[in-house]
Amino acid sequence: VQTAGPASGAVLTAGNQLVSFIATDDLGNSSTYSFTIEVEQVASPDPVVDLSGNDQEYTISACETTANILLSGNIYDCDIDAGDTPVITLSGIPGGVTITATQVEDGFVYFEAEAQAAPGQYAFVAEYGGVSVEQLITVVQEAPQAAVVEILGNLTFTVPACETQLDATFQVRVSDDCDDPIAAPAITIDGTPVDVIADLGNGLFEVSTVITAANDGDFLVASYTDGDGLTTTVDGVLTVNDQPDTFQPIIVYPSQNINVTLDPCGPSMAEVVFQASAYDNCSDVAPVVTVSGGAVVAPAGGSTFIVSAPANGTYTVTIDATDDAGNASSESLDIVVSQDEAPQPSLACND
């Protein structure tokens, strides 16, 4: 029978435990036996700090000044109990490292942290329970990129008929990795700056200018310098098609010859009145009327002309018209004036 000490199967704590037994036979004879159980508790192992799950290199664009560093780690320590608040020290990044979340269980802690870091290399250190672990964190900044400039649409234009110039419109798009907002690009045609540039937003610009057939083959150049001093220049060639005026003026005039018979007893000079005008597809045209022989032509207002022609002759009236492009037309008609001889003096011409 056990008389002292922990029972068989009991959980023993650190220290010495005396266990005693006594045995008695049927005749009442008894004896005792005792022994000591020594339980020694070894020291807890050092904690384990694990940072192996972190990214070690971060890349930021040329426009950013710092990288958002996301960190995490695991701590293994048999002295940790669920509900504890372990003291974890994080350092090595200027501006500090902030713990944002923890999960504590028996013998284990998981933590998350973040920091802001400019380009460079940093020795991130996590310390717990006298154990420190270092991890190298690198922040790399991309080099600035020059802007992308595009001349959009068709650079072929046609001058309208009867015109010498046209209002041309085209678009230029600029995109840049850092500039916001984007300023208007510099636009030139054959080296001459174009000033009428409308900002349509989001880096799109509309350019309006007057061009002529003389601009055919000129270089359209678009240039943009971004905030980092990088310049991008693109160009395109203008094609300007002219539509020369090749149409001759149309002359409206009497379509048949004019025959005039004078009274033998009357004057021997005929006055013939007719109308002549000219029309052109592009310009205002005034007809020029001339007459051959001894006849004389004179304007009578508007499109009316008077020809004074002596009797007994054929006179050719010529009507010419030339437009502003140098296209010429010419038409003609004859005026035939006849008069019989007057009869011998008699009462016949004195009625």
Side-chain angles (χ1 to χ4, degrees), residues 88 94 96 136 147 186 267 280 298 314:
I88 305 169
L136 186 65
D280 188 69
T314 299

Side-chain angles (χ1 to χ4, degrees), residues 258-269:
I258 299 174
N259 297 306
V260 178
T261 301
L262 295 176
D263 185 346
C265 298
S268 59
M269 182 69 71

Side-chain angles (χ1 to χ4, degrees), residues 286-298:
V288 177
V289 180
T290 59
V291 64
S292 64
V296 177
V297 62

Side-chain angles (χ1 to χ4, degrees), residues 1 3 19-24 29-35:
V1 176
T3 58
V19 180
S20 299
F21 292 91
I22 186 170
T24 304
N29 300 310
S30 63
S31 62
T32 62
Y33 175 74
S34 299
F35 61 91

Side-chain angles (χ1 to χ4, degrees), residues 65-83:
T65 57
T66 61
N68 187 34
I69 309 297
L70 300 177
L71 302 164
S72 65
N74 300 304
I75 296 174
Y76 303 92
D77 183 6
C78 58
D79 289 336
I80 294 176
D81 295 321

